[in-house]
Amino acid sequence: MKRNQSIGDVLRPLADAPYQAYLSNVLQVADVLDWILSQVGHAEVWQTSFSISEEFLRRLFFIERSGNVSRFNLVLDHKATNKTLKLWAFITQVIERTYLADNHSKILLVKSDRGDTVAVVTSQNLTRGNRHESAFITTDKAIFDTLHSQVNDLIRNHSVPLNELFQQRINS
C-alpha cells in the first residue's frame, strides 16, 4: 500500500459491504489479503495468478508468519515457469501447495475456520506495480462456492504440482 494511505480510504469493512469494487493504484493484492484475514481470522487461502514476484512472496511470508493462514494453495501459469522455477526454493518455504496450469485468472479465495468466505476477482498479478488495478470483493457464499469449485477443478484436473515439475527438471 502506498505511504500515507489507508485501506479504509479504498475499502469498507466486509461486514458493512458484502459487494464492493475498486480501481486504484493504492492497493496491492497482499494488502487486500491481509485486510481480509484481519476481519475473518484464521483461514485457508486459494490464489490464482499468471505470475508471482519475489517481493510478493516476501509479503506472503510475513502474512503466513502472522499465523492467520492455515493453508495456502497457489495456481500459477505454465508460461511463467522459468521465473517460477527461479523462485522455487522461496515459494516452497512460503506456500504449501503450488500448482502450474494454463491459467491467466487472478482470483483470491479465503475461507475462515468459522466458515466466513470472501472471494476477490482482480486484474493484478502477484507482482508489485504502481499501476491502477481493479478488483471485485464479495462475501456472497454462492459466488465463493462457484469460484472455489472451479479453482479446485483447475488444481485437481488441469494442473501439475510445482514440486513434481521441479523434480522432473532436476532429473533431466
Side-chain angles (χ1 to χ4, degrees), residues 5-134:
Q5 295 284 317
S6 165
I7 200 161
D9 296 338
V10 180
L11 296 170
R12 297 189 330 247
L14 293 168
D16 297 343
Y19 302 95
Q20 52 189 312
Y22 67 85
L23 173 64
S24 173
N25 67 349
V26 173
L27 299 178
Q28 302 292 316
V29 177
D31 299 323
V32 175
L33 174 58
D34 207 20
W35 173 78
I36 291 168
L37 292 169
S38 74
Q39 295 173 74
V40 303
H42 197 252
E44 184 169 359
V45 175
W46 294 261
Q47 177 80 57
T48 71
S49 182
F50 179 77
S51 66
I52 194 166
S53 70
E54 184 269 337
E55 183 175 10
F56 188 84
L57 277 168
R58 275 188 278 129
R59 287 286 308 277
L60 285 181
F61 173 81
F62 289 108
I63 289 170
E64 287 215 272
R65 184 186 235 182
S66 74
N68 283 330
V69 177
S70 61
R71 182 169 35 186
F72 201 102
N73 307 277
L74 175 66
V75 179
L76 299 171
D77 190 88
H78 283 293
K79 291 185 180 179
T81 301
N82 286 338
K83 180 180 177 183
T84 303
L85 288 176
K86 288 177 186 175
L87 293 171
W88 179 80
F90 193 15
I91 290 171
T92 58
Q93 294 299 310
V94 176
I95 301 170
E96 187 175 341
R97 292 173 173 79
T98 303
Y99 305 90
L100 298 177
D102 290 331
N103 177 64
H104 200 258
S105 68
K106 290 110 180 145
I107 297 170
L108 171 63
L109 301 172
V110 178
K111 184 174 186 178
S112 77
D113 292 351
R114 63 179 187 249
D116 298 316
T117 58
V118 183
V120 180
V121 178
T122 180
S123 64
Q124 187 178 15
N125 284 305
L126 304 182
T127 57
R128 175 100 178 138
N130 293 319
R131 295 187 162 120
H132 279 78
E133 299 284 356
S134 59

